[in-house]
Amino acid sequence: MPPHEAPLRLQVWIRPWSFPVQEHPVQPPPEPPPEPPSRSPSLPGTLQQRPAGCSDSGPGCDMNVPQLNELPDAAEQLRPFVSSLRREALQELTAVRSLSDGFLIKFLRARDFDVELSLKLLLNYQRWRKESPEISRCLSPSSVLGLLNTSYHSVLPERDHTGSRVLIYRIGQWHPKDWSAFEVFRISLMTSEIISMETETQRRGLKVIFDLQGWSLGHALQFNPSLARKISSVLSDSFPLKVRGIHLVNEPMFFRPVFAMIRPFLPDKIKQRIHMHGADFCETLGDYFSSHVLPPEYGGEAAEIEELCQDWTNQLLQSENFLQQVAAHPTGDIAINPEDVLI
């Protein structure tokens, strides 16, 4: 296998012992074991391991996660974390010659600058891409344009009050006879690749609304344990995005068997962020999203959902070259300037 090429550049958008008095002398108690080092999210590794070149007073060692998160990619304080992750990753990915700073920072932000967890996420991402070529190797918006034109999916232009991106998927617009679950899932992956390039999304994460109105037996039959595992993997431990909330609306009773397939693969953190709103969802969604964020079909005051879906479809089409470059690259490391992302 030939060495992989360097990343392409593309413009797109964690009390002393005491004893009662005794009449006879006793041996002193053994020393208690030392407490394990406390885990500090501001230092790489799980045991406060400092990256090479990072002294007690060095860059990155005296800042907490929120402070690190707000720094720009080129900040001096981030270099020790980036260098440490790059060194560890290149030791694991022996056929890879280099990894760009921007690519590594996506994984560091997704795991709060814990180098060990960031490395695990990066390796999972590489493994997922290799094991799921039917999804990861065909990131072409034009290939699913018919589905996109049904107003199936949108990334809302306004972020929520926490700064998270808000995504909507309208499952009823997907006709299983025309589009497979793999093709549908590619849309999610394409959107994820694009928004993961946004610095603000790396910092604040995303929230998803799944509108299950129109869910049918045909949809359910498209799912199996293998696909459920792939979906849950992207949601939890194989993609450099923080999933801050999953909101289900209009969920029918017969959606539950499919949800029961996916749920066991999800970590507890994600399970706690799943909210089921039912058919009377407008008021309850309002507890999580401001009205100016949501379209009127979901109780908000933004533009109508069909217009928002078309706007995002246009964004996807304009990103086709970038997405195909990501799909074709051995590691998916397509280096761009975040300021060039037009979303």
Side-chain angles (χ1 to χ4, degrees):
M1 181 175 181
H4 295 157
E5 299 179 355
L8 301 173
R9 294 199 62 84
L10 183 69
Q11 276 198 339
V12 293
W13 340 28
I14 153 2
R15 175 174 295 189
W17 288 68
S18 61
F19 295 88
V21 177
Q22 301 186 28
E23 295 181 1
H24 304 286
V26 296
Q27 294 296 323
E31 289 293 326
E35 295 183 3
S38 60
R39 181 170 180 162
S40 171
S42 65
L43 300 178
T46 58
L47 297 178
Q48 285 189 301
Q49 300 169 347
R50 285 170 167 77
C54 182
S55 64
D56 288 345
S57 59
C61 293
D62 54 356
M63 302 185 74
N64 57 33
V65 169
Q67 291 173 318
L68 288 169
N69 221 6
E70 297 303 318
L71 294 173
D73 289 8
E76 185 75 21
Q77 294 90 333
L78 300 186
R79 288 189 180 181
F81 298 89
V82 173
S83 297
S84 183
L85 179 56
R86 177 181 289 113
R87 180 176 65 252
E88 298 293 334
L90 294 178
Q91 288 177 355
E92 296 285 345
L93 304 171
T94 55
V96 178
R97 286 183 173 178
S98 64
L99 294 166
S100 70
D101 288 4
F103 185 69
L104 295 171
I105 287 174
K106 287 199 302 184
F107 294 89
L108 286 165
R109 286 200 176 110
R111 289 298 178 264
D112 294 332
F113 290 89
D114 184 308
V115 171
E116 182 176 327
L117 294 181
S118 301
L119 175 64
K120 180 180 178 181
L121 177 63
L122 191 155
L123 297 178
N124 285 346
Y125 174 80
Q126 300 301 330
R127 185 180 304 111
W128 188 93
R129 296 179 80 240
K130 181 178 180 180
E131 295 177 353
S132 306
E134 71 279 11
I135 302 174
S136 64
R137 298 304 186 198
C138 185
L139 300 183
S140 170
S142 59
S143 71
V144 288
L145 183 57
L147 177 55
L148 289 169
N149 282 339
T150 66
S151 301
Y152 165 72
H153 170 53
S154 178
V155 176
L156 304 186
E158 297 290 336
R159 297 177 182 270
D160 78 345
H161 64 284
T162 68
S164 295
R165 273 289 189 189
V166 182
L167 287 60
I168 295 181
Y169 293 92
R170 305 171 72 207
I171 305 303
Q173 305 303 110
W174 160 36
H175 300 296
K177 291 182 179 180
D178 300 327
W179 306 96
S180 71
F182 287 107
E183 290 171 310
V184 171
F185 192 32
R186 282 187 205 132
I187 294 179
S188 299
L189 194 59
M190 288 186 280
T191 286
S192 297
E193 288 287 2
I194 293 174
I195 66 175
S196 72
M197 302 303 295
E198 301 174 301
T199 299
E200 193 66 8
T201 304
Q202 293 171 17
R203 292 168 175 161
R204 316 300 177 200
L206 61 89
K207 295 173 183 174
V208 190
I209 299 172
F210 289 101
D211 186 347
L212 295 163
Q213 185 174 27
W215 176 269
S216 68
L217 179 61
H219 294 99
L221 292 176
Q222 289 272 340
F223 287 83
N224 56 56
S226 175
L227 180 59
R229 188 178 294 109
K230 293 177 188 291
I231 293 174
S232 61
S233 180
V234 171
L235 285 174
S236 57
D237 63 1
S238 296
F239 206 90
L241 282 171
K242 301 175 180 178
V243 179
R244 298 301 196 187
I246 299 174
H247 299 263
L248 308 180
V249 304
N250 287 319
E251 65 276 14
M253 290 291 294
F254 48 89
F255 169 74
R256 294 186 179 184
V258 171
F259 184 65
M261 258 196 301
I262 299 175
R263 186 178 175 87
F265 301 115
L266 298 175
D268 290 341
K269 179 172 63 176
I270 297 295
K271 292 176 184 176
Q272 294 167 3
R273 294 174 181 174
I274 297 176
H275 310 275
M276 294 190 175
H277 298 267
D280 299 323
F281 57 82
C282 287
E283 290 187 7
T284 55
L285 274 181
D287 295 335
Y288 298 90
F289 304 99
S290 299
S291 60
H292 75 278
V293 174
L294 299 175
E297 294 86 348
Y298 297 92
E301 301 172 354
E304 294 184 355
I305 186 62
E306 291 190 0
E307 177 183 343
L308 298 176
C309 288
Q310 187 58 56
D311 288 347
W312 185 247
T313 295
N314 293 338
Q315 294 283 3
L316 286 171
L317 292 172
Q318 292 170 14
S319 303
E320 176 125 19
N321 190 28
F322 163 70
L323 290 167
Q324 292 188 1
Q325 295 273 2
V326 171
H329 196 275
T331 64
D333 181 7
I334 304 299
I336 67 170
N337 185 340
E339 294 179 358
D340 293 329
V341 180
L342 306 181
I343 51 180

